[in-house]
Amino acid sequence: MAMIPRRVREAVTPELLKQGNDLAVTMRILAPDDPATDAPDLRSSIAVTGPGEQTPPYSQPGGSMVVPELSVAVTVGNSDVRYPHLIEHGTTKMRAQPFFWPAVRLQQKKMKNALKRACRKAVKENWGSRT
């Protein structure tokens, strides 16, 4: 990572955030309606966290963490919404209503190709720089 010029890394970050936001939109579309009308909204707990930022506490998957450089995290849940894993995988009393991983699988190829294009473009435009 240290060998990649800073300008190349910075040029890729906007595409990372764009793809993360696209994934979050797909998750919001696929997310089921909340089981109780007075419950905090599952869809509004879907968050996109950029490089160097902290994910929300109690978010799924992984909980609170700092997102590494050249990464983006799309998480579901927060301190008010602590049940996304139960919706995704189901319980003994409730059937599973997957929305997180189906959205990832649905968008995976598109995200991968867009990031490859962004990396190629950033390298072509910025590789000769020393910073």
Side-chain angles (χ1 to χ4, degrees), residues 4 33 41 43 50 55 63 67 80 86 88 103:
I4 299 173
D33 293 330
D41 189 21
R43 288 184 179 121
T55 60
V67 178
D80 294 329
L86 301 175
E88 180 78 13

Side-chain angles (χ1 to χ4, degrees), residues 32-45:
D33 293 330
D34 282 323
T37 55
D38 60 341
D41 189 21
L42 176 68
R43 288 184 179 121
S44 66
S45 74

Side-chain angles (χ1 to χ4, degrees), residues 1 4 8 21 27 30 33-34 46 48 50 65 72 76 79:
M1 288 293 290
I4 299 173
V8 173
N21 285 319
M27 286 181 188
L30 295 178
D33 293 330
D34 282 323
I46 298 172
V48 178
M65 66 175 212
V72 67
V76 183
S79 55

